[in-house]
């Protein structure tokens, strides 16, 4: 038995943070791991992997440099994965349940008549996994007797792999010939640049809801607090829909799923859909002027009051402790 | 060469999104007795998009059709689709809880038989949260896929489509030749409400039914996963209400979080 893990890299050849959690999950499967990196930056990513990660289970790094694999189009990557998985020694295939992983895994699975297990949060054994359903209101324990276990992994449920080096791992380049030629092309991307820690890997997140009336006040109050905490900034769907911030900040059932050490929920009520995205955070602080807001039921610490008064005071007092 | 769109919208009947799901006594699912069921919200967005395409370019749309695979009561959501203006509906009746792969196989068979060239569907169902079926259907049909769409623009001749999709860090735009599977995200549109008078008009419409054994005899719908149990997530101990910011700062400091 062995595991094939598709690791995502960013456009500049760095490992995507979710890949580091994915590798940790792969490690827990207790099989030798072949890491697969694809696209024009694959060699750079492979070198980064060797230089930054300590993983004894990592037995090989496979790279496929083909230009058509840039942007992770599932139409192009799936046939490659089908070829690689013909190798009988691969018992598991893992991918992060990022927007890329969610796009690729089901397509691959259907091509090999397999039902994947998506967004797993716990590995109970080689054939047994736990995944959330109903927006995390229930957890399903799932077993499969399929020959190959295809899994997507919720990054926030696993630690990041240990830092260090994996010097002895060999890098093998694989040619990519068997293309399907599905008529789709990638035109452009519009990525939000925040200069802040990525929500998926931030240790602290400050998140805002409808208590803020407009974009200006959302930024005026939350940015300084996030700055003193070196935190990522998140938001509820309501905040996004009201134009308070960009939709890439949305945390919830259909947005990002996060689990930082500290989550500060400011002026948000705690709708079920939002809780689904953050309730596994270590310590949750809720600041809200409505004592009946459901967020207080999920919070570790609650503070009732006007966010517009509390946030500046909190920011200043945290700053004072740092001196 | 130009072509007309023949749009299929698969829709799923799910526990209404406003109901908080509770694990049932048998620990094999959630409580459903007496609960309200509705169309999966993302599928509703797909229905809305199909209707808008038809309204904006009536001469370029041959037909819109909604299909559901599930229990007899799925008729309710299909009737709702008719009331909103979808041209036709059908129900593949089954009491089995089928996995996404099985659903995708049934849909692929139906798409080939009826020659649809666009499938619009929700990106995920809010019950099992799998986010599988659209991608699987595209794979089985060997069509391109544009998932998590927040903007859909067909070209003048209805031969290709530009789709902007939501991804982790923002958005990306793809261009695909038809036929195509598109899955819908929240911001694509705001689904319309359907008035009582329109619902009354379709109240007695007979919904055409298909049977898996008779109409899809060659499709293998065996489930491949075994759900061992469904459990409540661990609940945390109730939180502490603090009096002021100083208390909060000292708690966070004690926990070494700041």
């Amino acid at each position: 038995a062995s595991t094939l893990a598709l690791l995502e890299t960013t456009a500049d050849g760095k490992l995507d943070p979710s890949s580091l959690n994915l590798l940790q999950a792969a490690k827990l499967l207790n099989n030798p791991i072949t890491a697969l990196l694809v696209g024009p930056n694959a060699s750079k990513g492979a070198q980064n992997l060797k230089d930054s990660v300590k993983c004894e289970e990592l037995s090989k790094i496979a790279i496929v440099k083909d230009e058509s694999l840039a942007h992770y189009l599932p139409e192009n990557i799936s046939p490659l994965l089908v070829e690689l998985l013909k190798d009988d020694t691969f018992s598991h295939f893992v991918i992060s349940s990022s927007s890329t992983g969610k796009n690729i895994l089901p397509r691959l699975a259907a091509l090999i008549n397999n039902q994947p297990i998506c967004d797993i949060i716990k590995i109970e054994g080689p054939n047994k996994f736990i995944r959330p359903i109903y927006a995390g209101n229930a957890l399903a324990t799932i077993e499969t007797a399929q020959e190959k276990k295809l899994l997507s992994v919720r990054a926030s449920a696993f630690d990041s792999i240990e830092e260090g080096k994996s010097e002895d791992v060999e890098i093998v380049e694989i040619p990519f010939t068997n293309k399907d030629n599905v008529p789709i092309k990638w035109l452009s991307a519009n990525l939000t640049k925040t200069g802040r820690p990525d929500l998926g890997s931030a240790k602290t997140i400050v998140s805002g809801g409808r208590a803020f009336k407009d974009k200006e006040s959302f930024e005026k109050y939350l940015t300084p607090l996030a700055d003193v905490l070196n935190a990522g900034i998140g938001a509820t769907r309501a905040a996004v829909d009201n134009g308070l911030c960009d939709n890439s900040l949305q945390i919830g059932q259909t947005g990002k799923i996060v689990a930082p050490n500290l989550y500060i929920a400011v002026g948000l009520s705690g709708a079920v859909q939002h809780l689904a995205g953050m309730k596994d955070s270590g310590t949750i602080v809720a600041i809200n002027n409505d004592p009946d807001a459901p967020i207080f039921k999920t919070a570790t610490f609650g503070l009732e009051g006007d966010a517009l008064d509390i946030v500046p005071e909190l920011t200043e007092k945290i700053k004072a402790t740092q001196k | 060469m130009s072509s007309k769109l023949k749009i299929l919208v698969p829709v799923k009947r799910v526990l209404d999104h406003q109901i908080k799901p509770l694990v049932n006594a048998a620990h094999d699912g959630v409580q459903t007795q007496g609960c309200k069921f509705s169309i999966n919200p993302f599928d509703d967005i797909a229905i809305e998009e199909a209707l808008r395409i038809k309204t904006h370019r009536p001469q370029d749309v041959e037909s819109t059709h909604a299909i559901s695979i599930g229990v007899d009561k799925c008729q309710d959501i299909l009737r709702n689709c008719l009331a909103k203006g979808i041209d036709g509906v059908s129900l593949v009746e089954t009491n089995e809880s089928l996995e996404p792969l099985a659903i995708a196989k049934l849909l692929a068979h139906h798409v080939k038989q009826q020659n649809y060239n666009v499938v619009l569907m929700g990106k995920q169902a809010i019950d099992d949260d799998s986010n599988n079926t659209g991608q699987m259907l595209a794979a089985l049909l060997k069509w391109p896929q544009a998932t998590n769409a927040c903007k859909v623009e067909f070209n003048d001749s209805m031969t290709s489509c530009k789709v902007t999709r939501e991804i982790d860090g923002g958005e990306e735009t793809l261009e695909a030749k038809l036929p195509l599977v598109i899955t819908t995200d929240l911001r694509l549109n705001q689904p319309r409400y359907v008035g009582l008078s329109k619902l009354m008009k379709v109240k007695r419409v007979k919904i055409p039914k298909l049977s898996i054994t008779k109409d899809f005899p060659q499709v293998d719908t065996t489930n491949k996963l075994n759900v061992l149990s469904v459990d409540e997530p661990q609940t945390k101990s109730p939180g502490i209400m603090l009096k002021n910011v100083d208390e909060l700062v000292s708690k966070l400091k004690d926990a070494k979080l700041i």
Side-chain angles (χ1 to χ4, degrees):
Chain A
S2 70
T3 301
L4 180 66
L6 178 64
L7 305 188
E8 280 175 64
T9 51
T10 57
D12 51 356
K14 292 201 184 88
L15 286 171
D16 188 89
S18 70
S19 295
L20 303 175
N21 307 82
L22 174 67
L23 211 47
Q24 176 66 24
K27 203 177 143 117
L28 298 174
L29 289 166
N30 286 321
N31 295 328
I33 302 167
T34 298
L36 172 67
L37 291 93
V38 303
N41 274 322
S43 329
K44 207 171 156 191
Q47 198 55 48
N48 277 333
L49 179 63
K50 282 178 75 163
D51 293 344
S52 64
V53 160
K54 184 164 172 267
C55 182
E56 288 86 14
E57 289 79 0
L58 188 60
S59 68
K60 194 162 109 182
I61 301 174
I63 57 171
V64 187
K65 292 201 256 183
D66 199 276
E67 194 68 40
S68 70
L69 301 175
H71 314 302
Y72 295 96
L73 285 178
E75 292 82 352
N76 297 343
I77 292 184
S78 307
L80 167 71
L81 296 171
V82 169
E83 279 304 306
L84 294 175
L85 289 174
K86 281 183 182 158
D87 181 341
D88 289 335
T89 59
F90 285 128
S91 53
H92 293 76
F93 171 75
V94 294
I95 191 166
S96 158
S97 64
S98 60
S99 51
T100 301
K102 285 177 181 165
N103 208 13
I104 293 173
L105 185 66
R107 187 169 183 110
L108 160 67
L111 293 175
I112 58 173
N113 193 27
N114 186 297
Q115 175 60 52
I117 304 177
C118 297
D119 214 18
I120 60 165
I121 57 167
K122 206 168 168 207
I123 295 165
E124 298 266 277
N127 307 326
K128 198 169 151 190
F129 310 94
I130 296 182
R131 66 178 298 264
I133 54 175
Y134 290 92
N137 282 298
L139 302 177
T141 305
I142 291 172
E143 195 176 53
T144 182
Q146 293 174 107
E147 197 186 314
K148 291 196 194 291
K149 269 56 81 175
L150 305 191
L151 310 166
S152 66
V153 171
R154 179 178 289 193
S156 65
F158 294 87
D159 292 332
S160 203
I161 189 117
E162 201 181 330
E163 287 178 26
K165 291 201 184 303
S166 298
E167 277 161 349
D168 302 331
V169 182
E170 118 191 83
I171 299 179
V172 187
E173 189 173 346
I174 298 175
F176 178 38
T177 45
N178 190 9
K179 300 181 185 181
D180 266 359
N181 211 7
V182 176
I184 187 161
K185 61 182 183 206
W186 182 91
L187 297 181
S188 63
N190 183 9
L191 299 179
T192 321
K193 288 191 184 67
T194 60
R196 302 202 154 271
D198 170 71
L199 284 175
S201 52
K203 298 260 183 296
T204 304
I205 291 175
V206 173
S207 191
R210 251 190 311 204
F212 299 98
K213 293 284 164 278
D214 49 39
K215 196 170 193 292
E216 287 67 36
S217 70
F218 185 90
E219 284 168 6
K220 183 180 151 201
Y221 288 92
L222 293 187
T223 308
L225 179 58
D227 283 344
V228 297
L229 292 165
N230 188 29
I233 294 185
T236 61
R237 183 184 166 199
V240 172
D241 286 351
N242 286 348
L244 301 184
C245 59
D246 190 81
N247 68 34
S248 62
L249 302 191
Q250 187 190 319
I251 291 171
Q253 180 181 15
T254 63
K256 294 223 170 47
I257 312 273
V258 300
N261 297 339
L262 174 60
Y263 189 92
I264 304 184
V266 185
L268 62 88
S269 64
V272 179
Q273 288 77 8
H274 184 71
L275 297 180
M278 47 63 76
K279 65 183 168 52
D280 294 324
S281 304
T283 297
I284 297 171
V285 173
I287 299 169
N288 203 298
N289 60 6
D290 173 11
D292 297 324
I295 187 70
F296 285 126
K297 293 207 175 70
T298 307
T300 326
F301 302 120
L303 198 52
E304 185 193 331
D306 192 338
L308 305 189
D309 297 330
I310 292 175
V311 172
E313 186 187 348
L314 181 62
T315 309
E316 285 313 310
K317 289 189 168 156
I318 291 173
K319 214 186 268 176
T321 67
Q322 292 169 337
K323 279 179 185 148
Chain B
M1 201 189 85
S2 74
S3 63
K4 281 193 169 194
L5 298 192
K6 197 172 171 195
I7 305 174
L8 180 69
V9 188
V11 295
K12 186 175 185 182
R13 177 179 176 267
V14 298
L15 192 64
D16 189 87
H17 74 280
Q18 287 179 328
I19 293 171
K20 186 179 159 62
L22 297 169
V23 170
N24 64 14
H27 280 265
D28 61 359
V30 298
Q31 297 173 18
T32 54
Q33 208 166 13
C35 291
K36 184 185 174 197
F37 278 78
S38 307
I39 183 171
N40 177 43
F42 292 102
D43 301 344
D44 206 18
I45 294 171
I47 289 285
E48 179 65 32
E49 196 62 19
L51 293 171
R52 288 188 190 190
I53 296 166
K54 197 180 129 184
T55 310
H56 292 150
R57 296 175 63 175
Q59 70 287 0
D60 292 326
V61 177
E62 184 184 317
S63 65
T64 57
H65 191 95
I67 188 168
S68 194
I69 301 172
V71 295
D72 180 58
K73 283 195 169 156
C74 293
Q75 288 199 46
D76 296 348
I77 60 168
L78 290 171
R79 208 159 260 133
N80 223 294
C81 296
L82 281 177
K84 285 182 170 187
I86 291 290
D87 299 324
V89 297
S90 36
L91 170 62
V92 182
E93 193 177 354
T94 173
N95 292 322
E96 302 290 318
S97 170
L98 297 176
E99 288 168 0
L101 182 62
I103 299 287
K105 286 177 182 172
L106 292 169
L107 291 175
H109 186 265
H110 184 70
V111 165
K112 281 186 209 156
Q113 264 189 344
Q114 302 293 326
N115 289 314
Y116 293 101
N117 53 10
V118 169
V119 178
L120 265 167
M121 60 199 289
K123 70 166 180 179
Q124 77 189 59
I126 60 161
D127 49 8
D128 66 17
D129 285 334
S130 289
N131 191 333
N132 278 179
T133 311
Q135 297 88 311
M136 290 178 156
L137 176 61
L140 296 174
L141 293 168
K142 299 188 169 60
W143 291 6
Q145 67 190 50
T147 56
N148 301 16
C150 56
K151 196 171 174 194
V152 171
E153 302 161 280
F154 289 92
N155 68 350
D156 289 341
S157 54
M158 285 287 188
T159 50
S160 78
C161 185
K162 241 189 231 179
V163 177
T164 302
R165 52 186 302 266
E166 295 193 15
I167 57 171
D168 286 339
E171 293 174 353
E172 71 178 10
T173 304
L174 308 169
E175 185 172 15
K177 285 212 179 95
L178 266 44
L180 171 67
V181 174
I182 301 170
T183 75
T184 57
D185 215 320
L186 281 176
R187 282 171 203 90
L188 181 60
N189 60 48
Q190 189 72 48
R192 67 194 67 188
Y193 287 99
V194 57
L196 193 61
S197 65
K198 282 186 177 158
L199 276 172
M200 291 308 286
K201 270 187 203 150
V202 295
K203 205 178 156 201
R204 290 184 204 290
V205 174
K206 196 164 157 42
I207 307 278
K209 284 190 182 178
L210 298 167
S211 125
I212 294 181
T213 43
K214 280 190 203 126
D215 300 295
F216 302 85
Q218 59 280 65
V219 179
D220 172 20
T221 57
T222 349
N223 282 346
K224 294 170 184 287
L225 306 181
N226 185 11
V227 179
L228 299 177
S229 70
V230 173
D231 303 286
E232 300 269 358
Q234 262 189 340
T235 47
K236 287 183 187 168
S237 49
I240 313 167
M241 290 304 287
L242 305 174
K243 286 193 193 68
N244 52 45
V245 172
D246 292 315
E247 268 191 29
L248 176 58
V249 171
S250 87
K251 290 279 185 201
L252 294 179
K253 223 173 157 188
D254 291 347
K256 297 195 170 31
L257 288 163
I258 56 172

